[in-house]
Amino acid sequence: KTTVDIAAPGSGIYSTVPGNRYRSMSGTSMATPMVSGVLGLLLSKEDQLSFSEIKERIYKTAVPNATLITKAKSGRIEAYRLLNNIQN
């Protein structure tokens, strides 16, 4: 596959590393926790949403990004828009 459903910041993310230290890292290992965290916030606010409703909300509130058009189907995840259901 050459695309993802949603994009998230994944470059230059400051994260913890072994030894009680921090380091700037990049890649899907940094973007995935961003999406998971935002979805956790959504479910803490609206815990009755079904999987289909969550997926639709993600797609409809994503921020379009011309540079991601060939890489992410819906755009970049945006916590404020997702939590407040601000659709495109």
Side-chain angles (χ1 to χ4, degrees):
K1 293 190 174 193
T2 58
T3 64
V4 294
D5 291 328
I6 188 77
S11 181
I13 306 296
Y14 205 53
S15 184
T16 57
V17 294
N20 199 27
R21 297 176 303 136
Y22 298 91
R23 183 173 83 198
S24 178
M25 300 190 305
S26 299
T28 56
S29 294
M30 295 293 95
T32 301
M34 179 76 69
V35 174
S36 299
V38 172
L39 294 181
L41 288 172
L42 176 62
L43 288 172
S44 73
K45 183 179 176 195
E46 298 182 49
D47 63 351
Q48 299 302 312
L49 291 173
S50 69
F51 175 78
S52 298
E53 291 170 325
I54 293 168
K55 194 172 178 179
E56 183 178 347
R57 173 85 71 85
I58 291 169
Y59 291 154
K60 289 187 175 182
T61 62
V63 176
N65 185 313
T67 61
L68 297 174
I69 199 115
T70 61
K71 298 174 184 158
K73 293 179 186 176
S74 57
R76 178 183 47 80
I77 198 163
E78 167 64 52
Y80 182 83
R81 290 172 61 95
L82 183 70
L83 296 173
N84 293 289
N85 201 17
I86 300 171
Q87 300 187 10
N88 295 320

